[in-house]
Structures are given as structure tokens and as C-alpha cells.
Amino acid sequence: MGILSRLSKAQRRQIFGSFVLNWMPRLSILLATVSFLWLLALPHQGYSKRTYVSESALLPGNANLLYQWTDSMAAEAYRETVERISTLSSLERAQALEREFAEIGLKAATQSYTLNTSTASKSGVNTYAVFYAPRSDGTEALVLSASWTSRDKITNTNAVAMLLSLGKMFKRTSHLSKDIVFVVSDGDTEGLQAWLKAYHGNEQNTYERSEEALRVRSGAIQAALNLDFAGTGDYNALGIFFEGVNGQLPNLDMINSVADIAASVAPVELTLHDELVPMTENVTKNYINSLKRMLYMMKYQAVGTPTGNHGLYLKYKIDAITLYGIDKPGWHSQRFNLFRIGCLIESSIRSLNNLLEHLHQSFFFYLLSGVRRYTSIGLYMPPVIILGVSFICQALSLWGVSSDLPLELKAMARNKNAVVGLPYARRARSVKVPAAVVGLSFVAGLASFKLLTTQFGFPGETPLLKLVASVGVCSMLVLSAVSSAQDSELAPAPDWITLKTFVLALSALVVTTLSALNFSLAVSIGVVIVWPYLYFKPSRLMPLNVIQTVILAGISPPGLVLFASWWYTMDVSLVLGWVLEGYEILGTWLLPTICCIYWPINLAATVMVLLPVS
């Protein structure tokens, strides 16, 4: 401060102007690079901590288990029953399962539902039963659920058989203080969604959806375990799926307690998701494996679609995870059968039964690089903020370029003895074309969203046809914006500079704001757009403009849909149908975020590289 105070106003202004025009762009690149390196460092063991159970009331693995070999043999008998009734229609299958629960002594019922989306019409029948705990006052409950179809697209035989076996075992216990609700849902996610809506009194009877009211209820659901054990064989490992709708996560103690139980009373190998990765003594390989696990988690979070039925509970602030049986012949770990699965589930329920309130002691925001390694929000949020600051630095530099600052610095360079600098800005910036382009881009994005989500009833109407119409609307915007800029008078500063300033400022706003709602989606968007948006600008060389336009088209929503279709070897219509169903059934944010926020900024950037250079 002492050195600056001895300088004249003109000298201070010259230093500030030089920093804004010359050093801020370099600072922007440096910050973006630091952000990338920080994100890549997160899976390293030096930036992650070992997980631990924060909620002392859980006491995982301390209870004496009642699940015996006779219960395991009962599960195997139920497995044959499940295989037999799985070939029946939805109604007959649900009624048969209702009778099985009733024979155990549980109060059981069925629930029918229908759901009409823009891509399909779905209906089914759920089965549910309630074990009323002897020491319960009916105000709290835990849920054990399973879907008829596993994530492997085959019958979830072992999981349904396990529910029946556990129901029979719990019936002879007297120490539980919370009711146990058993749910076997039909369909994919829509079955459990209908049951949860009805359980919480949100059942609807409209053309789009209809859920039958529940005849059997219990208290407020404290936590839930969803089971996914496909087939009738044994398993090598147990995978944990925990990502919910729009990137929601359960309390970390849900995962930690299961991990403690799997390491003690019911020893099984645990992994995240369905990827079995061997641990080695090679530091580099371990880092790459941790990076892969973290990227898998971020991928599932970014798309916003739950990785299992557990994700639907998180919408109602119910902590839940899915336990998935991994059958990988030749894997080095010892295989385990229904007995060990039953012990693990009973011990988990006994731990959750100890809760006096909802899980709240541990983290709700975290990244996992392994079952036993986590990174807290205090370490993974700064790189996203730094990425947003890099956009702002470049935008401020361009805002200075579009003012009188460059001319003022030249005048000061010619008259080095000047004491008072020229006024900072004596002419108005021309923001008409940039503001119009940004405004029309958001209008086009909203129109595309309405096109994709509205059922017009035209013959041959498909999501792919709607996407083509959306691309047509956006292309017309780009062409009209470029032609209007060519016909207008030359602005005091080129239109592309002001437009790029708006694009960078909006990008910073989106990335930083979205990071608080869905960190992985914010990182995905930031990583895709940062370098094109920082470096791209219009050029007098037509081939360079064409290359920039092609790259921006490649990272636009239509380009990303085509890339996803190629990467997953799926038809484009299937990819679009999956995104639409996620929005219409589960309320995911991916489609509105892409259409109403990401695509408009991409359109404005495309117009920017096509504007004339003065």
C-alpha cells in the first residue's frame, strides 16, 4: 500500500489497466489449470480420509444375530416359489406373493398403478406387508424393498426370497422397536415411486398417473435397504449403490455401518457399484483405481437418475442404499450364499433399529474413492469455485478491452509525465446485439424444452423428431443473429467481445451455483466448456471459424446425445427416451438444465464465433 500511495493516479491506473488487459487472461488459464489438477488429486489417499461411524447409537455388528441356517433353507424354499410365480401376470404374481406374506403372519396387501409418459404407458401391481414390532408404538418404521426385475434385467429371485425369509424370522422376534415394511415393487422405478407417493399421501388420479391408496400403513420411515440379488446362485462380492435422484446422497453412516458389518459378523467383500477392482501395492495403480471409482460416482450423480430403487427414498429424506450381489466367476474372493446375506441384512436392520432420530451425525455431501475412503465437501468444492473464478477473470479482461482502457493506456504511454489519467469510459458500449442474442438463446432453449416434453398427438411423433425440430429452431436463431450483426453499424467495440463477456459470466454463474445443488453435474459442465469458451473467438480465417463451430456443435446437447448413443451403442431414440422418462417419472433436473441453461449459453457461444471481426 505504501508504494501505491506514492504513485500518481495515472500510474496507478496504468498498472491496473495493464493487469486487467494483460495478466487477467493468463490468470484465468492458470486458475483453470489449478482447478483441473486439484480435481485429479482428490482420489489420492493424501486428500481422502478413512470412513468411520459417527452415530454412536448404531453400534454396527454388536447385536446377537437370530438368522440361522434354518432361515437360509427357508429362503431357498421360497426361491423355488418365487421362480414359479415370476412367470405369472403382474396381478396374479402380486396376489400370490401377498398370500405368502399372509401365511407368515404379516398384514399384506397389493397396490395397482398406471403411468402414462410421452414415450410409453406403464402399469403394474406392487405387493407390500408390514411386521408390527411388539415394542413399537407404530410411529417409526424401516423398509426392506426389492423389485421383481434386477438391474441385470432378469428376475430378482434371491432378493424376493430373502424378503420372505426375513419376514418369517422377524415374526418370531420381540426386541425390535420399529416396524418393518416389506415392499416388492413392479416394473423399473415407477412401481416403488407409486408406492412411496401413496404412502406419504401424495397419490394422484389423473390421465398421466394413478396410484391406488394403501390399505396397510405404518409410521414415518427412518431408513431403507433395497435388495438386488438376481438369479438363484451364490455371489463373489456385494456392491453398494447409493446415488439418488439429482445427485442426492444418503447419510454416510448408512454405508459405514454396512461396511463395518461386512467386515465382522457377516464377512463379505464390499465394493462400490458393480466394479470389482483388485488392490495392489503399486501406488499408481491404486490411484487409477480410486480415480475410476470416483468418476463412476460422479457419472451417476451428474445424470441425476438413481442407480437403484433406493434413490427414490432419498426424495422423501429417507436414507437408503441398494445392496447388489455380484456374481463374477473366477474372482479371488470366497463366494457366499443366502445365509451370509441374511446375517448382514439382519445386523443392518438391528443397527438402524437403535436410532432415536434420523441419521444426521455424518456427512451428506461427499465423494467416495472406495468403500473405506471419502473426500469431504471442504476439499472438493474449492476447485469448482476456482473454475468459476477463471471464467470471471477472462470476462473482466474482455469487459476492459471493450472500454476506453486500451486507448487510455496508449495515451499514457505517449505522455509518461501525465498526472491524471483519461476518463475510464467516455462512450457507451453497444450491447444491443449481444443482449438480443443471449435473450433469444434462452427463448430458443425454453422452446426446445417445451417441444421435447409436450405431447402434440401428431402421427409418427417421436423424441428424435422433436430433437430435430429443436435443432431447427436453434439453427434459425444462430443464422438470424449472425445476419443481423452483419447488417448493423460498427459498434465502438466489436459485438463478439461483449457477447463473449456475457457467455463467460453466465458460465461462471451456472457452474458455481449448480455446484451447490449437484456437484458432479457442475464439474461435468465446467470440464466440457472451459477451454472452448476461454479460447474461442471469431477469426478472419474461415477454416478456423468452421473448426470452432464444429467443436461447439459437438459439445451441444444434440452432439452429446449422439456421442452417448455411440458410446453406449444405443439408438438415439432410446437415449432421448431415457432422459425424458427420468424427467417425467422421477423429476430429474438433467433435461431442464441442459435445455434451459446449458444449450442457450452454447448457442450464444456459437453465434459469437460467427460474428464479423472489425
Side-chain angles (χ1 to χ4, degrees):
M1 291 298 293
I3 297 176
L4 290 176
S5 63
R6 289 195 293 268
L7 297 176
S8 65
K9 182 178 180 180
Q11 290 173 325
R12 291 197 301 269
R13 192 166 179 80
Q14 192 171 10
I15 292 173
F16 172 75
S18 176
F19 174 75
V20 170
L21 298 181
N22 300 325
W23 290 101
M24 266 198 167
R26 301 172 186 175
L27 179 62
S28 174
I29 302 301
L30 176 62
L31 290 175
T33 305
V34 169
S35 175
F36 270 70
L37 294 177
W38 194 324
L39 289 170
L40 289 175
L42 290 178
H44 193 273
Q45 287 201 359
Y47 289 89
S48 62
K49 298 179 181 179
R50 183 173 175 83
T51 59
Y52 56 93
V53 177
S54 301
E55 181 58 70
S56 56
L58 283 172
L59 301 174
N62 285 355
N64 293 323
L65 301 183
L66 300 179
Y67 197 86
Q68 305 296 329
W69 280 106
T70 55
D71 299 301
S72 175
M73 295 173 63
E76 293 177 359
Y78 282 128
R79 186 164 57 189
E80 298 177 1
T81 303
V82 172
E83 283 188 299
R84 175 174 48 82
I85 66 176
S86 64
T87 58
L88 303 175
S89 65
S90 293
L91 179 59
E92 294 174 335
R93 183 174 59 189
Q95 291 174 342
L97 196 58
E98 179 187 7
R99 290 192 294 270
E100 293 293 334
F101 277 118
E103 289 178 4
I104 295 173
L106 306 181
K107 187 173 289 188
T110 61
Q111 179 210 23
S112 61
Y113 67 89
T114 58
L115 178 65
N116 297 312
T117 66
S118 60
T119 57
S121 178
K122 301 182 179 182
S123 62
V125 184
N126 299 321
T127 307
Y128 59 99
V130 180
F131 164 68
Y132 293 103
R135 300 188 180 186
S136 169
D137 57 359
T139 59
E140 294 181 345
L142 302 173
V143 174
L144 286 172
S145 64
S147 175
W148 273 108
T149 305
S150 74
R151 64 182 295 108
D152 297 329
K153 304 305 179 185
I154 60 176
T155 304
N156 202 6
T157 307
N158 279 342
V160 179
M162 183 56 61
L163 290 185
L164 292 167
S165 172
L166 289 168
K168 188 175 182 180
M169 186 270 296
F170 284 132
K171 188 62 180 175
R172 66 173 188 263
T173 62
S174 60
H175 50 265
L176 293 178
S177 60
K178 292 179 175 59
D179 298 339
I180 309 296
V181 182
F182 301 88
V183 183
V184 180
S185 58
D186 205 353
D188 191 9
T189 56
E190 68 276 2
L192 186 60
Q193 172 81 350
W195 185 85
L196 282 170
K197 288 176 70 68
Y199 191 89
H200 292 89
N202 297 329
E203 63 269 8
Q204 298 180 5
N205 291 286
T206 63
Y207 171 76
E208 288 79 15
R209 64 171 67 238
S210 175
E211 296 99 14
E212 182 183 357
L214 301 183
R215 301 191 299 275
V216 181
R217 290 178 180 272
S218 182
I221 301 174
Q222 302 296 302
L225 288 176
N226 186 65
L227 309 184
D228 194 329
F229 296 99
T232 58
D234 297 340
Y235 304 97
N236 296 92
L238 196 68
I240 298 180
F241 288 87
F242 51 94
E243 298 86 358
V245 179
N246 298 320
Q248 288 180 285
L249 297 173
N251 190 277
L252 189 56
D253 272 344
M254 279 290 293
I255 301 173
N256 295 341
S257 57
V258 172
D260 280 1
I261 293 168
S264 56
V265 296
V268 298
E269 181 177 355
L270 277 185
T271 186
L272 296 180
H273 309 115
D274 53 358
E275 292 293 321
L276 288 175
V277 181
M279 293 298 295
T280 65
E281 296 181 357
N282 190 308
V283 177
T284 303
K285 287 184 178 180
N286 285 338
Y287 166 78
I288 294 175
N289 293 337
S290 298
L291 178 62
K292 287 181 179 179
R293 294 192 192 98
M294 187 172 288
L295 289 178
Y296 268 114
M297 174 183 175
M298 294 178 68
K299 177 189 72 173
Y300 290 132
Q301 268 194 298
V303 297
T305 304
T307 51
N309 280 356
H310 68 277
L312 303 174
Y313 294 101
L314 298 176
K315 294 176 62 178
Y316 297 89
K317 303 194 184 310
I318 301 169
D319 295 303
I321 59 175
T322 289
L323 302 179
Y324 171 71
I326 302 175
D327 182 11
K328 188 174 182 180
W331 188 250
H332 60 81
S333 62
Q334 182 182 3
R335 295 174 68 84
F336 55 90
N337 55 15
L338 296 181
F339 173 71
R340 203 168 297 179
I341 296 173
C343 292
L344 185 141
I345 296 172
E346 187 206 348
S347 185
S348 301
I349 291 294
R350 295 282 294 275
S351 294
L352 296 172
N353 181 70
N354 295 334
L355 289 175
L356 301 177
E357 52 188 332
H358 275 289
L359 289 170
H360 64 280
Q361 293 284 354
S362 192
F363 296 97
F364 284 96
F365 301 97
Y366 50 86
L367 291 177
L368 294 182
S369 56
V371 178
R372 285 296 193 178
R373 305 296 300 183
Y374 79 98
T375 303
S376 66
I377 188 173
L379 280 176
Y380 70 69
M381 279 297 284
V384 186
I385 305 302
I386 291 173
L387 190 62
V389 173
S390 71
F391 286 114
I392 291 295
C393 288
Q394 188 81 299
L396 289 175
S397 177
L398 290 172
W399 192 250
V401 170
S402 66
S403 70
D404 272 351
L405 191 57
L407 302 177
E408 188 178 357
L409 292 179
K410 289 182 181 179
M412 291 179 183
R414 290 193 298 267
N415 186 8
K416 297 183 179 180
N417 297 323
V419 178
V420 181
L422 296 174
Y424 182 74
R426 297 176 301 167
R427 59 185 179 185
R429 292 180 179 88
S430 176
V431 296
K432 292 181 180 179
V433 172
V437 169
V438 171
L440 289 175
S441 297
F442 279 94
V443 170
L446 182 59
S448 302
F449 176 69
K450 289 295 184 182
L451 274 173
L452 289 170
T453 56
T454 303
Q455 191 74 16
F456 296 99
F458 298 140
E461 183 179 346
T462 62
L464 181 58
L465 184 61
K466 293 179 181 180
L467 179 64
V468 172
S470 301
V471 173
V473 170
C474 297
S475 300
M476 290 172 59
L477 164 72
V478 172
L479 295 175
S480 62
V482 173
S483 62
S484 64
Q486 290 173 339
D487 294 335
S488 62
E489 297 181 359
L490 285 177
D495 288 333
W496 73 265
I497 295 180
T498 309
L499 181 55
K500 184 172 180 178
T501 303
F502 290 170
V503 167
L504 292 172
L506 288 170
S507 300
L509 176 65
V510 169
V511 169
T512 52
T513 304
L514 193 59
S515 64
L517 303 174
N518 189 333
F519 169 79
S520 299
L521 181 58
V523 168
S524 302
I525 291 177
V527 167
V528 169
I529 68 175
V530 57
W531 300 119
Y533 286 10
L534 289 180
Y535 278 107
F536 284 8
K537 61 182 181 180
S539 171
R540 293 188 177 90
L541 300 176
M542 185 57 65
L544 181 58
N545 285 339
V546 171
I547 293 173
Q548 293 180 145
T549 304
V550 170
I551 293 176
L552 290 173
I555 63 175
S556 68
L560 295 177
V561 167
L562 292 175
F563 175 78
S565 175
W566 168 78
W567 183 265
Y568 293 105
T569 62
M570 294 173 60
D571 189 75
V572 176
S573 297
L574 294 178
V575 176
L576 287 174
W578 174 77
V579 176
L580 280 170
E581 284 189 1
Y583 169 73
E584 294 174 350
I585 298 176
L586 304 174
T588 58
W589 297 339
L590 182 63
L591 184 63
T593 300
I594 293 299
C595 289
C596 301
I597 299 177
Y598 178 82
W599 203 353
I601 299 176
N602 177 268
L603 287 173
T606 305
V607 172
M608 181 267 297
V609 299
L610 295 176
L611 288 178
V613 181
S614 62

